[in-house]
Amino acid sequence: MKKLQVGDKVLAYLKGRGYVGYGIVTSEAVMVKNFEWTSGKKLLAEPLKQPNIANNL
């Protein structure tokens, strides 16, 4: 992720499903504890499906 630069295009591919997502990098990589949506809301304040994402902050 740290190799990505602002403006790079990103594609998400799932075996058996094909391409399932597309995006453009808008900022440098940050740690999950510092990630904020453009609305200013923190990612860790969201109801996430991955319960261990906040481990080892």
Side-chain angles (χ1 to χ4, degrees):
M1 294 299 245
K2 290 189 176 192
K3 291 183 179 182
L4 294 173
Q5 296 179 4
V6 174
D8 286 351
K9 295 174 183 165
V10 181
L11 299 168
Y13 180 85
L14 289 176
K15 185 177 179 180
R17 301 276 180 156
Y19 289 97
V20 296
Y22 168 81
I24 298 175
V25 177
T26 60
S27 66
E28 295 179 4
V30 296
M31 296 182 73
V32 69
K33 67 181 180 180
N34 299 327
F35 184 90
E36 293 182 5
W37 299 107
T38 53
S39 65
K41 189 170 185 180
K42 294 274 190 180
L43 176 66
L44 293 178
E46 299 287 343
L48 303 173
K49 291 185 179 183
Q50 173 48 270
N52 300 323
I53 196 169
N55 287 2
N56 302 315
L57 290 177

